[in-house]
Structures are given as structure tokens and as C-alpha cells.
Amino acid sequence: QVQLVESGGGLVQAGGSLRLSCAASGRTFSNSAVGWFRQAPGKEREFVAAIGGNSYYADSVKGRFTISRDNAKNTVYLQMHNLKPEDPAVYYCAAKYSSSSFAYSKEETYNYWGQGTQVTVST
């Protein structure tokens, strides 16, 4: 069984930076695709970024967020810069281990999900 644990969330001023981590246990990340999603209060969960053979980003975060992976640490990161008032949400990481096509922005693509970490931006 795979467990994903997010960390690194917190309170930051608008324009600031945070780095989220997603650590996997039970299975290596090296043969998976990993995505980050977020859900703000009263809104549906939305795609943020994903990494497989390439990296993919939602238009709203392109140029500000960077997804990366450290296979040695079995961890995927989401570096967030220039945080804006529209970025606060619970951020979730998700992993895909199946060999099906990688529809990276679709929640149903992913097999495993973490519990989320809260990001708050003060203005």
C-alpha cells in the first residue's frame, strides 16, 4: 500500500514563497507520475502541476510554481513563488502507478492521494 504525506504548508505573505513536499512510503516514486491539486473552500479541487516524463502546469501557476522530484528521497516537491491571494487552498499530492495514459490534469488518473497540507496567503 502506498502512503503519501504532504508537508510544507503554512502562512505566507502575498508575494512570498513556500515549498511543499510529498513523501511516499510503500512504493518508490521513481516509476510513478505525480500530481499536485488544490481545493479552496467552496470550490472544486483543481489541477496545479504534474510530473511524469515531463512537467505540466495549470495556466494560473505557470511561471510561479515548479514541480520536481528527488527519487533518492522518494519525494516530489512543489516550489511556489510569488504567492497570490487566489492561491490559498489545501494542496494535495497524488500518484499514478498504472500504465494507462497520463491524463495529468484529471483526478481519476491517480491511484493514491495524500491528506493535504494547508496553504494560507496573507495580504
Side-chain angles (χ1 to χ4, degrees):
Q1 185 71 11
V2 176
Q3 286 191 321
L4 305 179
V5 178
E6 302 95 335
S7 61
L11 172 64
V12 64
Q13 286 189 330
S17 300
L18 281 175
R19 188 178 77 161
L20 306 183
S21 300
C22 175
S25 62
R27 196 166 175 180
T28 178
F29 260 155
S30 62
N31 58 346
S32 72
V34 179
W36 284 96
F37 289 75
R38 66 186 181 187
Q39 187 168 22
K43 295 186 177 182
E44 293 187 351
R45 190 155 56 183
E46 63 176 5
F47 168 74
V48 176
I51 187 166
N54 296 307
S55 301
Y56 309 90
Y57 299 93
D59 288 343
S60 59
V61 306
K62 204 170 291 183
R64 300 188 297 123
F65 291 10
T66 302
I67 189 170
S68 63
R69 68 199 307 161
D70 185 336
N71 289 336
K73 294 184 178 180
N74 222 26
T75 300
V76 170
Y77 302 100
L78 184 68
Q79 179 68 57
M80 307 185 294
H81 293 299
N82 190 22
L83 283 159
K84 299 181 177 181
E86 57 264 35
D87 292 322
V90 177
Y91 282 69
Y92 300 90
C93 69
K96 168 189 179 300
Y97 287 92
S98 68
S99 59
S100 60
S101 60
F102 185 33
Y104 54 85
S105 65
K106 303 294 185 184
E107 292 185 42
E108 55 267 31
T109 290
Y110 299 90
N111 310 115
Y112 300 97
W113 289 81
Q115 293 300 306
T117 185
Q118 178 72 50
V119 171
T120 305
V121 179
S122 65
T123 56

